[in-house]
């Protein structure tokens, strides 16, 4: 098969940990052809199919010069067996427009994963609200007054922007309410920006766990991202330590309730974040942690993903 990745620039990949690279490597190992483009390379001219300036690549196995371009040109997305959208957040206007071009490519016959409409319909912070029974008490609002009431009720809270990534812009406010007013001003910008507020979960000391839902099934290992040095954030980008561990029975029960619902909507790969037994985020744009889990446990997450991709394309 010929597989196209829509992703960040190849030169930016840190291949020792990059999940998209791990997907590419497994696909090539199975004899599939790999190509790549960036969202800015997508193009749609009236009366013509959606195209992209594409580079077909061969992975060399070397740590530095890790790929060679074997062919380059403008090609129609519908001519690939699958298009895998792996552009990292933030989900900004350009990402939004890219999903529309990818959806048009779908109408022309392309098979896109994750499904573009599902990417738009499941913003990564807000998506958990549909599954509120599995989440901590959560408020989404622009109202400073509502945030203050939520703090008065729960006493220890986490505030975060809806468009943050990698732990960016996350604040904790304890029972003393120290700096709550300033944090509200910073995040909601006078009522112009929506904020998510959640009850603080002390189980964060054991890690913010990344569960992988692949083809409606749950990977048997998770990556617990454990805060370091007094941080409240476990995100690897914020200095958290990633420790792979077996999926607990309690986490499995929650994940197995959510996984088939999301898979039926065209979300082949989902990163479910859990603290304790509470879901805190549902990541759909570019879930990661394949290599960390595989390296620490021996469980081949990229193989599980490619198995699910091949099954989806055969269906």
């Amino acid at each position: 098969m010929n597989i196209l990745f829509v992703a960040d620039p190849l030169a930016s990949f840190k291949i020792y940990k990059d999940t998209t690279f791990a997907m590419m490597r497994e696909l090539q190992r199975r004899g599939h052809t790999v190509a790549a483009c960036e969202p800015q390379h997508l193009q749609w001219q009236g009366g013509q199919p959606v195209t992209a300036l594409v580079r077909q690549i061969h992975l060399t196995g070397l740590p530095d010069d890790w790929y060679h371009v074997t062919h380059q040109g403008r090609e129609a997305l519908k001519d690939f067996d699958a298009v895998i959208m792996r552009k990292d957040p933030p989900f900004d206007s350009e990402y939004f427009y890219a999903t529309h071009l990818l959806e048009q490519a779908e109408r022309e016959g392309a098979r896109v994963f994750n499904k573009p409409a599902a990417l738009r319909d499941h913003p990564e912070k807000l998506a958990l609200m549909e599954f509120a029974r599995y989440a901590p008490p959560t408020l989404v609002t622009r109202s400073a007054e509502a945030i203050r009431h939520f703090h008065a009720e729960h006493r220890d809270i986490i505030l975060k922007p809806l468009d943050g990534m990698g732990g960016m812009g996350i604040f904790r406010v304890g029972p003393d309410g120290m700096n709550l007013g300033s944090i509200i001003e910073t995040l909601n910008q006078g009522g112009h920006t929506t904020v998510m507020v959640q009850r603080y979960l002390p189980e964060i000391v054991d890690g913010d766990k990344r569960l992988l839902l692949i083809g409606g099934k749950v990977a048997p290992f998770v990556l617990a991202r454990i805060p370091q040095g007094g941080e409240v954030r476990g995100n690897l980008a914020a200095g958290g330590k990633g420790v792979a561990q077996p999926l607990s029975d309690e986490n499995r029960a929650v994940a197995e309730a959510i996984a088939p619902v999301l898979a039926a909507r065209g979300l082949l790969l989902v990163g479910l974040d859990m603290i304790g037994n509470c879901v805190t985020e549902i990541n759909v744009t570019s879930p990661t942690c394949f290599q960390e889990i595989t390296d620490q446990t021996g469980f081949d997450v990229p193989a599980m993903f490619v198995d699910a991709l091949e099954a989806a394309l055969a269906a």
Side-chain angles (χ1 to χ4, degrees), residues 10 34-37 41 52-57 67-75 80:
L10 296 177
V34 174
C37 72
H41 298 144
L53 183 60
V54 168
R55 291 189 292 174
Q56 184 174 309
I57 63 173
Y67 71 93
H68 290 162
V69 177
T70 59
H71 172 75
Q72 180 169 307
R74 185 160 290 281
E75 300 183 36
F80 290 87

Side-chain angles (χ1 to χ4, degrees), residues 50 63 152 157 181 242 260 278:
V50 174
I157 63 172
C278 289

Side-chain angles (χ1 to χ4, degrees), residues 88-93 123-126 140 159-170 186-189 192-196 281 283 285:
D88 283 344
F91 194 114
D92 55 14
S93 294
E124 301 194 328
K125 302 288 193 300
L126 283 175
V140 177
L159 303 93
K160 60 179 97 170
L162 290 183
D163 60 354
M165 58 175 286
M168 180 184 66
I170 293 179
T186 298
L187 290 180
N188 93 329
Q189 300 178 21
H192 293 290
T193 303
T194 304
V195 179
M196 173 170 278
E281 288 188 17
N283 297 273
T285 52

Side-chain angles (χ1 to χ4, degrees), residues 3-68:
I3 310 298
L4 174 63
F5 286 83
V6 182
D8 289 297
L10 296 177
S12 70
F13 282 27
K14 295 179 174 62
I15 64 169
Y16 68 93
K17 67 174 184 177
D18 194 284
T19 288
T20 304
F21 169 78
M23 294 174 175
M24 291 176 169
R25 183 174 56 190
E26 178 62 17
L27 284 162
Q28 180 174 290
R29 189 190 69 78
R30 298 190 187 196
H32 303 308
T33 300
V34 174
C37 72
E38 300 168 34
Q40 64 177 329
H41 298 144
L42 297 173
Q43 182 172 295
W44 182 18
Q45 185 169 338
Q48 298 182 21
V50 174
T51 64
L53 183 60
V54 168
R55 291 189 292 174
Q56 184 174 309
I57 63 173
H58 176 78
L59 278 61
T60 65
L62 301 174
D64 296 320
D65 187 20
W66 64 270
Y67 71 93
H68 290 162

Side-chain angles (χ1 to χ4, degrees), residues 12 14 24 67 77 138 173 176 187 204 236 265 279 286:
S12 70
K14 295 179 174 62
M24 291 176 169
Y67 71 93
L77 271 62
T138 302
V173 177
D176 61 6
L187 290 180
I204 185 62
L236 299 183
R265 297 173 183 172
V279 177
S286 187

